[in-house]
């Protein structure tokens, strides 16, 4: 027991480093978090670090939206090499006329030489003492097993396979559709317990990516329905329309319509349960001035803190971010399984 407690603080640090580095790599390659990727690889010589990461694999792959996590101590297997360029602003000003020659020498530094320089903090180059922090250092990956991008943060080397095949692209599009539906629900002032049906109209003959979108919603209908907890189809919308609006995904415009047993007010679409409140015990979650009602039990399943975190990410579009939940400034632990004490209260979300 004491051994587990002593090691536990290491694990969130490793997990957070991998996740943060993965986000940087996604940003560099302009791949939004909604689009799943095949693999993230953690390379480290320390077996304890690799073990820590592997023990938290489910969290890492969920936060990074990747299919699998691979850990390895063999950097050569992925042909990862350090490369460097001079910091022109710093070295150009300091070296003046010698900058051009030193710059050429810096670019030619090998992975071994840069690793030694990193360890020492500096290196003599053509008679000048050059600091490691005066270079722009990056990782280059030449592996043929995937299109990897690499970066290091907090001494953790992370490789992200940025190959986006059609299946993963289509799943990403489906997640974009879920996001647009959630935004439309918010605009209509719906709460999670409001029973609605969702209809879409996509003109797949257009040359704006509509064909890809139509294929995506067809192949990932189950994913979309699970994400929005409502029926989703391309059939003609019903008469009892709550809200209907043209939305856009990746340059493709299409019509989304939400229908249900509701009434419109003169001030706009306002949806309520017949009694004015959700059917069942519920509480309110608040994030950045927006609020939602959440049922403590849905479809016979009691809500847990871990499931609530996922619900919150879907509600407020916080995929890929770490969220914290608190009640009266007291944090709610992710291990909490019985949330009945939240009935009628307000939970604050920070991300």
């Amino acid at each position: 027991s004491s051994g587990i407690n002593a090691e536990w603080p290491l694990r969130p640090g490793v997990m957070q480093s991998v996740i943060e580095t993965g986000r940087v790599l996604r940003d560099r390659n302009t791949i939004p978090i909604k689009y799943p990727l095949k693999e993230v690889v953690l390379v480290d010589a320390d077996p304890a670090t690799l073990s820590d990461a592997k023990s938290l694999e489910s969290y890492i792959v969920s936060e990074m939206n990747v299919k699998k996590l691979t850990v390895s101590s063999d950097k050569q297997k992925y042909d990862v090499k350090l490369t460097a360029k001079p910091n022109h602003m710093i070295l150009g000003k300091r070296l003046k006329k010698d900058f051009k020659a030193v710059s050429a020498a810096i670019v030619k530094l090998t992975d071994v030489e840069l690793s030694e320089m990193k360890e020492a903090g500096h290196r003599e180059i053509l008679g000048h003492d050059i600091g490691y922090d005066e270079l722009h250092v990056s990782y280059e990956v030449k592996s043929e097993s995937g299109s990897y991008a690499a970066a290091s943060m907090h001494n953790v080397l992370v490789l992200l396979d940025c190959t986006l095949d059609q299946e993963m692209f289509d799943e990403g599009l489906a997640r974009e559709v879920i996001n647009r539906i959630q935004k439309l629900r918010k605009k209509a002032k719906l709460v999670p317990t409001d029973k609605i049906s969702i209809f879409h109209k996509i003109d797949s003959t257009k040359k704006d990516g509509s064909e890809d979108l139509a294929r995506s919603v067809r192949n990932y209908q189950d994913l979309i329905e699970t994400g929005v907890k409502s029926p989703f189809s391309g059939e003609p919308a019903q008469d009892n329309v709550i809200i209907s609006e043209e939305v856009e995904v990746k340059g493709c415009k299409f019509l989304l319509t939400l229908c249900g047993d509701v009434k419109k007010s003169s001030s706009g679409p306002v949806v309520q349960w017949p009694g004015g409140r959700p059917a069942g015990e519920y509480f309110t979650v608040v994030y950045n001035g927006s609020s939602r009602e959440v049922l403590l039990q849905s479809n016979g399943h009691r809500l847990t803190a871990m499931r609530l975190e996922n619900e919150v990410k879907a509600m407020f579009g916080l995929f890929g971010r770490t969220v914290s939940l608190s009640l009266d400034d007291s944090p709610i632990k992710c291990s909490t399984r019985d949330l009945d004490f939240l009935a009628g209260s307000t939970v604050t979300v920070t991300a």
Side-chain angles (χ1 to χ4, degrees):
S1 173
S2 60
I4 293 174
N5 292 336
E7 290 177 7
W8 174 249
L10 283 173
R11 295 183 175 181
V14 172
M15 178 180 70
Q16 200 59 37
S17 293
V18 175
I19 292 169
E20 288 178 7
T21 309
R23 288 176 188 157
V24 169
L25 291 171
R26 276 187 177 272
D27 289 343
R28 287 180 186 173
N29 292 273
T30 59
I31 303 175
I33 192 66
K34 293 183 182 70
Y35 290 78
L37 294 173
K38 287 182 180 178
E39 180 186 29
V40 60
V41 181
L42 170 62
V43 182
D44 200 286
D46 180 17
T49 298
L50 300 180
S51 176
D52 281 349
K54 201 64 181 173
S55 69
L56 294 164
E57 179 173 7
S58 61
Y59 296 96
I60 292 173
V61 297
S62 173
E63 287 293 320
M64 294 184 66
N65 195 13
V66 294
K67 299 299 182 183
K68 70 173 182 176
L69 166 71
T70 300
V71 298
S72 176
S73 59
D74 186 3
K75 195 171 77 167
Q76 300 304 317
K77 176 182 177 181
Y78 296 92
D79 202 7
V80 184
K81 298 186 185 302
L82 284 170
T83 61
K85 294 180 181 178
N87 186 318
H88 288 255
M89 187 175 292
I90 295 175
L91 290 177
K93 185 176 181 180
R94 179 160 76 86
L95 301 179
K96 296 182 173 57
K97 62 183 180 64
D98 291 340
F99 173 71
K100 186 175 181 180
V102 173
S103 178
I106 288 172
V107 172
K108 294 179 181 178
L109 290 173
T110 66
D111 176 74
V112 172
E113 290 169 334
L114 285 168
S115 297
E116 292 173 349
M117 186 177 180
K118 180 180 180 181
E119 187 73 24
H122 62 98
R123 182 184 182 89
E124 184 177 313
I125 301 175
L126 300 182
H128 295 277
D129 188 49
I130 307 299
Y132 188 78
D133 58 359
E134 294 179 302
L135 307 181
H136 292 302
V137 181
S138 59
Y139 284 93
E140 221 176 57
V141 187
K142 299 181 179 179
S143 172
E144 296 180 359
S145 59
S147 179
Y148 291 100
S152 178
M153 186 182 295
H154 309 307
N155 295 319
V156 173
L157 176 59
V158 174
L159 283 65
L160 188 65
D161 189 342
C162 294
T163 307
L164 197 62
D165 61 22
Q166 181 177 297
E167 183 179 342
M168 291 186 289
F169 178 73
D170 285 354
E171 183 179 332
L173 287 178
R175 293 185 185 279
E176 296 270 17
V177 171
I178 292 172
N179 175 263
R180 302 307 185 275
I181 293 171
Q182 302 290 29
K183 287 182 177 179
L184 205 56
R185 287 182 65 110
K186 179 180 178 181
K187 189 172 183 178
K189 299 180 182 178
L190 290 163
V191 296
T193 48
D194 289 320
K195 295 185 182 299
I196 63 168
S197 295
I198 305 160
F199 300 89
H200 64 83
K201 185 178 181 181
I202 302 171
D203 184 356
S204 58
T205 63
K206 289 183 178 179
K207 302 298 182 182
D208 61 354
S210 297
E211 186 178 347
D212 290 335
L213 186 61
R215 181 185 63 244
S216 171
V217 299
R218 183 173 61 251
N219 293 340
Y220 287 93
Q221 181 175 341
D222 288 347
L223 175 70
I224 294 171
E225 290 184 336
T226 300
V228 299
K229 297 180 176 62
S230 300
F232 176 77
S233 73
E235 299 173 3
Q238 302 167 358
D239 293 332
N240 48 342
V241 175
I242 302 168
I243 187 171
S244 185
E245 194 171 283
E246 187 177 63
V247 297
E248 183 176 331
V249 168
K250 291 289 185 182
C252 169
K253 294 181 179 180
F254 66 103
L255 189 68
L256 271 180
T257 303
L258 311 187
C259 299
D261 185 16
V262 297
K263 296 179 180 179
K264 288 186 179 179
S265 71
S266 57
S267 60
V270 178
V271 181
Q272 294 181 331
W273 278 82
R277 292 295 179 189
E281 288 187 310
Y282 74 98
F283 59 95
T284 303
V285 291
V286 178
Y287 173 72
N288 273 2
S290 297
S291 64
R292 302 281 195 283
E293 279 70 44
V294 179
L295 283 174
L296 284 165
Q297 182 168 328
S298 179
N299 298 324
H301 297 289
R302 301 297 294 180
L303 188 67
T304 64
M306 188 173 296
R307 186 176 173 187
L308 174 59
E309 284 190 14
N310 291 329
E311 294 282 347
V312 164
K313 289 178 182 179
M315 288 176 190
F316 299 111
L318 300 175
F319 294 108
R321 297 176 64 179
T322 301
V323 301
S324 299
L325 309 173
S326 61
L327 175 65
D328 298 329
D329 295 326
S330 297
I332 300 171
K333 296 180 180 179
C334 66
S335 58
T336 307
R337 299 194 61 82
D338 185 356
L339 297 180
D340 287 353
F341 67 94
L342 296 179
S345 63
T346 298
V347 172
T348 302
V349 180
T350 55

